[in-house]
Amino acid sequence: MMIEEVADQYNAKKIEKRIHEFWEDNYAYSKVRQHRKGEKKFFFVDGPPYTTGHIHLGTAWNKIIKDSILRYKSMNGHDILDRAGWDMHGLPIEVKVEAALGFKSKKDIESYGVENFINKCKEFALKQKDDMTKQFQELGTWLDWEDPYMTLKDEYIEAAWWTIKQAHEKDLLEVGKRVVNWCPRCETAIADSEVEYEERTDPSIYIKFPLKDKANSFIVIWTTTPWTIPSNIAVAVNPEFEYAKVKAEKNRKTEILIMATELVESVLRKGRYTDYEILETLTGEEVAGLEYEHPLADLVPIQAEMKHHVYTADYVTAENTGCVHIAPGHGVEDFEVGIKNGLPIFCPVSSNGSYTRDAGKYSGMNIRDANPIVIEDLDKKNLLLSEDEISHRYGHCWRCKTPIIYLATKQWFIKISDLKDDMLDEITKVKWYPEWAGSARFKDWIEGARDWCISRQRYWGIPIPVWNCDSCDEIKVIGTREELVKVTGIDSDLELHRPYVDEIIIPCSCGGSMRRVEDVFDVWFDSAVASWATLRFPHTRELFDEWWPADFITEGHDQTRGWFYSQLGASMVGFGKAPYKSVLMHGFTLDDAGKKMSKSLGNVVQPQEVIDRFGADALRTYVLSSSAPWEDLKFNWDEVATIHRTLNILWNVYRFPLPYMALDRFDPNKISFESIVPHLRNEDKWILSRMQSLIVDVNTSISNYELHKVIRSINEFILEDLSRWYIQLIRPRTWNEADDPDKLAVYRVLYDVFVTLTKVIAPFMPHLAEEIYSNIVLNVDKEAPFTVHMCDWPKPDENLRDLELEAQMKTIRYIVEAVSNARQKAGRKLRWPVSRIVIEPENEMVAKATARLKSVLMDQTNTKQVFLVKTGESWEELGVEATPNPSTIGPVFKGDAGKVIKAINAISGNDLKSGLASGSMEIELEDGSIVSITPEMVNFEDKLPKDVASADFTGGKVYVDASLNREIESEGFAREVIRRIQDMRKELDLEVDENIIAHIKIDDERVVDLVLDMETFIAKEVRSKVQVIGYDIEATGKLTKDWDVEGVSMHIGISPADE
RNA sequence: GGGCCCGUAGCUUAGCUUGGUGGAGCGCACGGCUGAUAACCGUGAGGUCCUGCGUUCGAAUCGCAGCGGGCCCA
C-alpha cells in the first residue's frame, strides 16, 4: 500500500459518513478506551440532557466541548470513564404522553391506570433517547453511548434512594407544610427552576379592610390576586415606615384610611378622592396590633370566627399602600409571617385550583373564575377603593404554561440550610473555569439557597422510598432494593417505579402497616446523584472507590442553579464533599442578533441544518472557535462558511503534494527524516519549527480550556503557515526530477508535518483527521494504531524548534508584502521580475533575517538581486527633495523671505541636507547678501530614483527597482506565454506530464525576439516537444486562442504531442 | 429590583489581568497569481473601542454611574 492521490474536493458529508462507518465497523470507540486502560484515570460525568427527542445547537455545542476535551485527554494518556447520561423522568414526558392520549387531568391518568401510563412514559423516553443518541453521534461525539446511565433504570433509582436514606439518617430530611409553587393543572408542586416567568395581565385592586370597632375606618391593601382575599389572615406593615391616618373625601362623604404616608397621594388619586387631610402619622410599630374585620367575613363563615391583626414584616416595601395583605396559605413570605406570629395557615384551595368547602360562598369555584366575583362582592360592600389591571411578569408552569399558584401543602425537603456553610467551603476546593463561575456566580447562588423541596405529586419519577405507618406515624426510609426485599420479602425483580412500589406494605413495629408516601422525586434530584449512579453505586462499590469524585464536568451557565447545584447538594448529603474536582461553565447559543433562540421567535438553528450544509467538523470547529467557551455564542452562518473554507484549504493543502508523491512512489519508510536532514532548507526547518510551536500553543490553551484559542492557533497554522507560505515556497521543488534530495526533503517534511497535524486536529475535527490519517499513515505503516484517536498526542520536539527562525521568517513575510505593495505602485506585476529590491532594515534582526532567508525573499518577490542597506542608514541612491518652508522663513526674513525661498530652491537637496546637518547653513541671495538658514526652514523628502517604488514594513523600508532591461522583458514575456499555454493545457484537460506541440505567433517582431531568448525555458515549463515561435507563422493546433499580452497580440495553438 | 457575564469596523472577534499611537478574519472596492484553480495572494476604504463622569502626564484597558444584551434570581 502506498499513499494515495486524492482527486476529490473536500466533501464533508462523504468523509463523515465513511468515517462513522469505519468507527462502527471497527469498534473504534471501545478499542480506544480499552487501549488506555490502566493509565491515569479521568472520570467524566455527562450532564444528562432531558429526553426531548431532539438536540439543539446548545446541546450540540455542549457535547462537542465534552468530546474534544475527552479526545485530547485520551490521546494524552488518560483512562477515561464517560458514560453518556439521560434524564428521563418527570413532568415534561408525562405532559407529552398525556397529550398523546388526550388527557386533561390526573383523573384521566388514574382511570387509564398508573401502570399503563408509566409504561407509556417509559416507552416514550426510551424512544426519544434513541433518536437523540443518533443525533449526537452525527456530531462525531464519542461517549459511552452503548451503556449510558439512564435515570429510569432501577440501578439508578437505587442511587437516589440510597441518598435520601443518608439524608434521613443525618437528619437532613424533613416533611412539613410549606408554601410551594403549584401547578393547578398538573396538580403538583413544581420547583422554583420549573417556574417560567411570562408577561400576564391581572387585576390590580386596592381594598379597604374595615378596622374593628372603629366605624368608617379602614386599612388599605393592594393585591393582584383577588382570589386570595377569602384566605386573608393578616396585614403586614414595615416597622420602619411612617403611616398616615387620612381623612379622605369623595362625593361629600369622608372616610378614615390608613396607609404609608409617602403613598397617600397616589392611593387617593386611584380612589378618585377629591380632598384629604392627614389627621396623624403613626410608625409601623404603632399600626401593628390594629385589629380589622375580614372584608368577606359574611361570605366565608370561617373567617368570621378568626381574628385579624396587623403585624410588622421587614420585607414590606414602600409600594402601592405600604400595607400588605397576608394569606399564609398562598405565599412564601405570607407563610413566614404566619408561622412567626402563630397564625393559622388557612388554605381553602384544593390541588386542582378550586376552593374547598372552607371557602364558604366560593366553595367549588375555580380560583381564577373567582377573581371577578370577589371584586364584585367587595364593591358591593363598598370596600373596593379602586380597580384596575396590571401587566406584570407572573410565574407559569414550564410545561403546560398554566399560571402557578402558591399553596401550603405537605412536602418533603432536604435541609440545605444546614449544609450551606459546608457547601460554600467545598466550592472553594473545586477548580472553576472561568474562575468567577465559582467564586462569584455559584457562591452567590448558594448563599441564597433555600431548603430543597424534593417531592412531586406525580407518577413518572423515582418513587420517594419513604414508608409511613398509618397508626403510629413512624417513618421508614428504604435505601436499596436489597433492603426492601429483606424487609418485605417481595419479589426481587420488582420494578422500582410506581405503581409497583406503591403496593408494598411494610409491617410496622407498632403492629400497624406502613404505606409508601405517594410522592415521586423532583427530577432535579434524579440527575443530582449522577456521579455515583453512573458508577452503579450503591449497587456495587468497586467503581465508586476507584473513580469518584468526577475529575471534570462541563455544562451551560444555566446549570449554576441546576446541575452544578443539585449535584453538590446531594453529594453533601451522601458524602459530605463536592462530587466534582473541576467545572467548566460554558455559554448559551444565541441567534446572530444576540437573542436567545426560541421556537416562538423562529430563530432556531438546528445542528442538522449546519451539518447538511457544511458537515459536522465545520460545525464543531465553528462552535469551538467562535467564542471563549464561557461566553455566549452568537450563531452566524457566514462564520460557519468561513470555517468550512478553512477546512477546505486544509484539504487542498493536504492533497496538493499527493499526486507528486504518488507519481514518485514516495515511501516514508524508505526516506528517513535523518537522511534528508542535510538537504533541509530554511523554509523546511521553519515549518517544522512552527509545527512544534503549534503543539505548544495548543497545550497551553487547552490547559485553561481556552478552546477558542486552540482552534484559532490551528487555523492560523493551516492558513498562514501552510497554505499561504510553505506550500507557495515549495511548489517548484515538487516538480523536480525523481530522486532529487531537495524534493525528497520537501516530501518528508510535508509528510511529518501532516502526520503531526492530523493528531493535533484529531480532538476537534475528528473525521477529517481520521480521513487524512487513514491515507498517509495507515497506507504506509502496518504497525500504526488503526485510528488516529488511538495515537499519543505529539510531544513538541525542542530540537526542531527555532524561535529565532520563526521570527525571521515573519519579517521576510512582512518584506514580501511590502514588495507586493510597492510593485502595485510601480505597476509591475509579479510575473515580471524586477532587477533588484533594496532593504533598509531598522534593526539587526531584520538585517539578519534578510541575509539568512535571502533565497526565500528573492523567490517570493521575483527579484534578480537583493541589496541590504546597513542598519540605520538610508539607501545611497536615494535623492533628497528639498522644499522651503514659508511659515518658518517668513517670520525671520520678513520682506526678504521671497528671495530666501528662491535661493533655497536653487540649491540641490543633497547640498542642503549636508549643509544643514550641522544645525545652520549660510546661503547667498540673488542680491549677493549672505543669510543663515536653519533646518526647520526646509522640508526634506526622499526622492526615489526613476522606476523605483517604495513601501514600509514592520522593521524597515523596501525599495523596488522596476526598471526594464532586455533580460527582464524577455523573461516577463516568456512567463506570459507560459501562463497562457498552461491555461490552454488545462482547458484541454491534459495530464500533468503529457507532452504537447505548440505554435506561438506573436504580432510584434521585437517581442518575438525577446521570447525566443527563453525558448528552451518555455518548452520545458509547458512540456512542448515541438515548439514554433515566430512572426510569420500559423498558430495551429487542437486548441487555438488569441491573446493580448501587455498590448501585444499573440495567437497560440497547442495539440497533444502523441496524437 | 438583585447577582454574575458580555458590549471594540457592516458582521465575527484579538487586545483589557500588568494603562503608553487599537490588530485580525469575513464582507466590500481595486489589483495580482494560475500544475491546490469552483482554489489562492496583495492593497485599500471602513473605529465617538456602548454612553457619561472620575483616577492619571496618558484610559479600549482601572473606578463609579447609566444604557443595551445574556443567564440566573426576586
Side-chain angles (χ1 to χ4, degrees):
Chain A
M1 287 282 277
M2 293 296 291
I3 296 172
E4 284 167 11
E5 186 174 343
V6 175
D8 299 346
Q9 293 283 311
Y10 175 55
N11 182 334
K13 256 204 131 78
K14 205 164 130 192
I15 292 170
E16 286 164 12
K17 184 166 180 283
R18 195 184 83 74
I19 298 302
H20 286 159
E21 281 165 11
F22 169 77
W23 286 344
E24 204 171 321
D25 294 347
N26 294 283
Y27 307 98
Y29 165 79
S30 47
K31 281 186 189 160
V32 167
R33 291 287 181 269
Q34 193 59 41
H35 174 71
R36 297 292 175 188
K37 279 275 168 284
E39 297 191 38
K40 194 166 176 249
K41 287 190 162 45
F42 190 80
F43 176 31
F44 170 75
V45 184
D46 183 29
Y50 197 78
T51 44
T52 55
H54 50 267
I55 69 173
H56 55 83
L57 212 53
T59 40
W61 185 20
N62 168 281
K63 285 285 198 281
I64 289 166
I65 290 172
K66 292 171 178 174
D67 181 61
S68 297
I69 290 167
L70 292 176
R71 285 182 191 270
Y72 178 82
K73 288 285 175 192
S74 171
M75 291 177 82
N76 280 279
H78 285 89
D79 179 356
I80 292 171
L81 195 151
D82 60 348
R83 294 176 80 193
W86 298 103
D87 195 5
M88 306 172 90
H89 280 136
L91 208 42
I93 286 178
E94 286 196 43
V95 170
K96 281 246 172 81
V97 172
E98 280 183 89
L101 297 171
F103 291 174
K104 297 238 158 26
S105 72
K106 273 175 146 179
K107 279 198 199 71
D108 297 327
I109 298 172
E110 299 282 351
S111 55
Y112 180 71
V114 173
E115 179 171 6
N116 292 334
F117 185 70
I118 291 300
N119 284 332
K120 284 277 181 210
C121 289
K122 193 192 299 174
E123 196 182 299
F124 186 76
L126 288 167
K127 163 81 168 59
Q128 307 276 56
K129 179 214 74 174
D130 290 341
D131 292 351
M132 289 173 80
T133 301
K134 285 197 194 83
Q135 295 167 48
F136 281 133
Q137 284 175 324
E138 274 228 43
L139 302 168
T141 53
W142 275 10
L143 288 174
D144 190 349
W145 297 115
E146 291 292 314
D147 181 26
Y149 72 81
M150 295 183 243
T151 57
L152 56 68
K153 293 281 184 191
D154 283 355
E155 167 184 284
Y156 196 100
I157 290 173
E158 281 188 282
W161 282 16
W162 177 86
T163 308
I164 211 65
K165 187 171 173 130
Q166 294 302 305
H168 178 58
E169 286 176 357
K170 293 174 186 171
D171 196 26
L172 292 166
L173 181 65
E174 200 177 49
V175 62
K177 233 186 186 184
R178 295 282 175 99
V179 171
V180 293
N181 307 304
W182 188 271
C183 174
R185 194 218 68 93
C186 301
E187 294 183 48
T188 181
I190 58 179
D192 288 342
S193 54
E194 291 167 336
V195 177
E196 227 172 56
Y197 288 85
E198 275 168 38
E199 207 65 26
R200 176 187 160 82
T201 302
D202 273 314
S204 164
I205 59 171
Y206 288 77
I207 307 171
K208 297 180 288 187
F209 285 2
L211 293 180
K212 192 166 166 86
D213 304 328
K214 283 181 188 156
N216 207 28
S217 296
F218 308 89
I219 184 161
V220 187
I221 64 98
W222 171 83
T223 184
T224 58
T225 50
W227 64 267
T228 60
I229 295 297
S231 313
N232 172 274
I233 293 296
V235 167
V237 294
N238 191 310
E240 306 292 323
F241 292 174
E242 184 191 271
Y243 289 83
K245 190 182 268 185
V246 185
K247 188 170 131 193
E249 187 180 320
K250 181 159 71 172
N251 302 332
R252 309 230 165 134
K253 289 180 196 159
T254 58
E255 293 172 338
I256 308 295
L257 303 174
I258 292 173
M259 66 194 82
T261 307
E262 63 172 294
L263 296 162
V264 168
E265 290 260 0
S266 74
V267 173
L268 295 186
R269 208 175 306 124
K270 288 211 192 289
R272 298 176 185 282
Y273 287 88
T274 45
D275 198 10
Y276 77 92
E277 183 189 343
I278 293 183
L279 299 176
E280 63 174 308
T281 59
L282 307 162
T283 63
E285 296 286 0
E286 285 167 330
V287 178
L290 289 177
E291 190 176 355
Y292 65 92
E293 283 168 11
H294 192 276
L296 303 170
D298 56 331
L299 304 176
V300 184
I302 290 182
Q303 284 288 10
E305 295 162 22
M306 292 194 274
K307 301 243 183 243
H308 299 82
H309 286 96
V310 179
Y311 300 90
T312 59
D314 295 335
Y315 74 87
V316 173
T317 57
E319 287 167 297
N320 306 305
T321 72
C323 307
V324 175
H325 141 64
I326 299 290
H330 295 299
V332 176
E333 285 155 334
D334 306 50
F335 181 84
E336 278 160 14
V337 171
I339 293 295
K340 195 173 153 202
N341 296 294
L343 306 177
I345 308 301
F346 183 50
C347 184
V349 174
S350 67
S351 63
N352 65 1
S354 61
Y355 287 104
T356 62
R357 265 199 306 210
D358 289 346
K361 168 185 175 179
Y362 306 101
S363 91
M365 209 179 279
N366 180 282
I367 52 144
R368 298 266 163 221
D369 299 340
N371 269 344
I373 297 168
V374 169
I375 292 172
E376 199 187 315
D377 290 342
L378 288 167
D379 197 25
K380 275 187 205 153
K381 296 174 190 297
N382 193 28
L383 295 174
L384 192 65
L385 184 141
S386 92
E387 182 191 351
D388 203 353
E389 282 189 334
I390 186 177
S391 177
H392 62 158
R393 285 167 70 74
Y394 190 85
H396 292 70
C397 173
W398 72 327
R399 274 301 127 194
C400 67
K401 311 298 175 198
T402 307
I404 59 154
I405 58 176
Y406 296 97
L407 280 190
T409 54
K410 185 180 160 183
Q411 301 290 348
W412 294 84
F413 291 85
I414 290 180
K415 290 195 267 179
I416 292 292
S417 34
D418 288 3
L419 294 170
K420 204 184 276 184
D421 291 343
D422 291 342
M423 285 167 88
L424 287 169
D425 194 37
E426 276 303 300
I427 62 168
T428 63
K429 298 176 192 163
V430 175
K431 183 100 178 106
W432 295 88
Y433 300 91
E435 192 274 333
W436 51 260
S439 67
R441 207 173 177 147
F442 197 41
K443 181 163 171 268
D444 181 64
W445 170 250
I446 290 174
E447 279 170 347
R450 294 191 287 171
D451 287 349
W452 181 5
C453 173
I454 52 161
S455 49
R456 295 291 182 274
Q457 291 65 49
R458 295 298 303 187
Y459 308 93
W460 179 235
I462 298 181
I464 291 185
V466 176
W467 273 259
N468 196 194
C469 178
D470 48 18
S471 54
C472 74
D473 210 32
E474 180 68 25
I475 70 164
K476 184 166 190 68
V477 181
I478 300 291
T480 57
R481 174 201 299 273
E482 197 185 347
E483 188 183 345
L484 188 63
V485 170
K486 213 165 100 192
V487 175
T488 62
I490 52 124
D491 179 356
S492 62
D493 286 339
L494 183 92
E495 182 176 331
L496 302 183
H497 274 122
R498 294 188 74 183
Y500 317 107
V501 288
D502 299 340
E503 289 152 16
I504 299 167
I505 292 168
I506 301 176
C508 182
S509 51
C510 78
S513 302
M514 296 180 121
R515 285 170 213 283
R516 197 184 73 81
V517 165
E518 278 205 3
D519 300 348
V520 297
F521 279 108
D522 167 15
V523 277
W524 283 106
F525 194 80
D526 289 29
S527 56
V529 303
S531 70
W532 50 98
T534 193
L535 298 172
R536 302 186 164 84
F537 179 90
H539 193 74
T540 111
R541 261 213 94 93
E542 210 184 324
L543 288 172
F544 180 83
D545 291 340
E546 272 182 60
W547 295 84
W548 200 85
D551 290 288
F552 175 70
I553 62 172
T554 178
E555 302 299 333
H557 42 52
D558 55 329
Q559 298 302 332
T560 304
R561 60 109 191 239
W563 197 54
F564 296 160
Y565 174 70
S566 66
Q567 279 201 97
L568 179 61
S571 187
M572 295 308 293
V573 168
F575 307 100
K577 64 186 268 194
Y580 38 68
K581 293 184 201 158
S582 67
V583 180
L584 167 63
M585 184 188 80
H586 67 72
F588 253 56
T589 49
L590 311 174
D591 75 2
D592 54 7
K595 298 276 180 203
K596 165 172 151 174
M597 283 188 185
S598 75
K599 271 185 202 151
S600 55
L601 290 173
N603 58 354
V604 177
V605 175
Q606 297 294 339
Q608 192 58 51
E609 277 180 71
V610 185
I611 294 174
D612 287 345
R613 278 174 67 177
F614 297 108
D617 279 339
L619 171 60
R620 293 174 63 109
T621 311
Y622 168 69
V623 294
L624 293 174
S625 69
S626 167
S627 55
W630 45 86
E631 270 166 29
D632 289 344
L633 186 155
K634 286 193 228 171
F635 184 85
N636 184 306
W637 278 107
D638 287 348
E639 298 295 320
V640 187
T642 303
I643 289 291
H644 178 259
R645 195 188 63 124
T646 302
L647 300 190
N648 187 38
I649 291 170
L650 172 60
W651 183 258
N652 283 333
V653 170
Y654 149 67
R655 76 192 181 104
F656 157 74
L658 297 181
Y660 310 110
M661 288 181 173
L663 203 66
D664 291 333
R665 306 193 65 73
F666 167 69
D667 183 350
N669 294 313
K670 296 196 181 119
I671 314 291
S672 72
F673 183 74
E674 288 66 33
S675 74
I676 56 99
V677 166
H679 305 289
L680 288 177
R681 293 203 197 176
N682 281 322
E683 53 267 41
D684 304 328
K685 291 179 187 157
W686 168 79
I687 193 73
L688 288 167
S689 176
R690 285 291 305 134
M691 186 73 243
Q692 310 316 310
S693 293
L694 175 65
I695 302 168
V696 173
D697 291 347
V698 169
N699 285 341
T700 307
S701 298
I702 213 166
S703 67
N704 297 314
Y705 294 115
E706 294 175 320
L707 298 169
H708 58 309
K709 290 191 181 169
V710 169
I711 303 295
R712 289 169 193 179
S713 302
I714 290 174
N715 286 354
E716 198 180 312
F717 179 80
I718 293 168
L719 292 174
E720 291 298 330
D721 298 338
L722 269 180
S723 169
R724 290 178 192 162
W725 201 241
Y726 189 65
I727 294 295
Q728 305 310 327
L729 292 178
I730 55 135
R731 281 164 98 147
R733 293 162 73 189
T734 57
W735 47 82
N736 283 351
E737 292 311 311
D739 44 8
D740 178 359
D742 185 43
K743 180 178 69 179
L744 294 179
V746 167
Y747 284 176
R748 182 72 219 192
V749 169
L750 265 179
Y751 183 78
D752 287 353
V753 165
F754 260 89
V755 170
T756 308
L757 188 59
T758 57
K759 294 173 188 169
V760 173
I761 65 172
F764 318 104
M765 312 160 201
H767 312 91
L768 188 49
E770 191 81 289
E771 174 71 21
I772 298 175
Y773 179 86
S774 72
N775 183 18
I776 66 173
V777 177
L778 293 187
N779 278 344
V780 297
D781 182 2
K782 285 189 191 65
E783 308 293 309
F786 77 102
T787 161
V788 68
H789 303 288
M790 196 183 266
C791 294
D792 290 338
W793 182 255
K795 285 196 178 35
D797 183 343
E798 287 303 326
N799 293 325
L800 294 177
R801 206 159 170 227
D802 181 348
L803 293 177
E804 191 187 13
L805 177 59
E806 289 186 33
Q808 288 170 338
M809 191 63 94
K810 197 177 245 176
T811 295
I812 296 302
R813 295 194 63 176
Y814 289 145
I815 298 175
V816 171
E817 276 177 26
V819 169
S820 288
N821 189 346
R823 271 178 170 274
Q824 204 160 324
K825 289 181 195 162
R828 184 71 68 233
K829 45 187 170 181
L830 189 58
R831 202 180 295 145
W832 291 61
V834 292
S835 57
R836 57 182 178 162
I837 62 172
V838 179
I839 291 158
E840 276 179 11
E842 268 169 15
N843 55 52
E844 275 310 308
M845 185 268 169
V846 174
K848 241 174 126 179
T850 309
R852 183 173 179 189
L853 298 168
K854 193 172 170 183
S855 67
V856 173
L857 186 57
M858 289 180 72
D859 195 44
Q860 291 303 297
T861 56
N862 195 14
T863 185
K864 296 289 176 195
Q865 277 179 304
V866 174
F867 282 134
L868 184 59
V869 176
K870 247 184 165 170
T871 303
E873 291 184 6
S874 305
W875 183 27
E876 56 190 16
E877 287 178 36
L878 226 43
V880 180
E881 182 136 36
T883 44
N885 186 354
S887 63
T888 47
I889 294 169
V892 176
F893 295 104
K894 313 259 161 49
D896 285 339
K899 288 180 211 160
V900 174
I901 288 167
K902 207 168 168 190
I904 291 172
N905 274 331
I907 306 168
S908 82
N910 282 332
D911 289 349
L912 277 166
K913 187 149 201 182
S914 54
L916 284 167
S918 59
S920 70
M921 179 184 182
E922 307 212 315
I923 60 168
E924 189 181 351
L925 305 186
E926 57 187 353
D927 60 9
S929 60
I930 306 285
V931 296
S932 178
I933 59 166
T934 50
E936 58 279 8
M937 293 175 187
V938 184
N939 291 328
F940 291 104
E941 234 176 278
D942 287 342
K943 197 163 113 195
L944 297 176
K946 190 170 178 300
D947 291 328
V948 170
S950 73
D952 293 323
F953 62 90
T954 312
K957 191 166 187 176
V958 64
Y959 301 92
V960 175
D961 184 350
S963 57
L964 294 174
N965 57 35
R966 182 178 176 99
E967 185 198 2
I968 286 171
E969 272 201 284
S970 163
E971 196 175 323
F973 275 113
R975 282 180 189 258
E976 297 284 2
V977 169
I978 292 166
R979 145 88 190 90
R980 284 166 177 81
I981 295 176
Q982 299 288 31
D983 198 70
M984 292 169 73
R985 288 182 60 110
K986 194 95 199 161
E987 201 172 320
L988 284 178
D989 209 17
L990 300 182
E991 289 297 318
V992 172
D993 53 349
E994 203 167 335
N995 291 316
I996 59 163
I997 294 165
H999 291 83
I1000 305 155
K1001 172 172 157 47
I1002 302 171
D1003 298 347
D1004 181 324
E1005 281 185 279
R1006 191 183 74 94
V1007 176
V1008 171
D1009 199 32
L1010 287 169
V1011 172
L1012 280 172
D1013 281 4
M1014 303 293 288
E1015 196 174 6
T1016 48
F1017 174 66
I1018 296 170
K1020 178 171 166 272
E1021 287 293 308
V1022 303
R1023 291 186 173 261
S1024 53
K1025 255 184 169 168
V1026 182
Q1027 179 175 284
V1028 186
I1029 302 173
Y1031 179 72
D1032 284 328
I1033 59 159
E1034 195 79 3
T1036 56
K1038 189 173 177 190
L1039 178 67
T1040 63
K1041 280 199 147 183
D1042 299 331
W1043 302 93
D1044 176 74
V1045 179
E1046 308 280 294
V1048 178
S1049 63
M1050 297 190 183
H1051 316 277
I1052 302 174
I1054 67 165
S1055 309
D1058 307 329
E1059 283 176 18

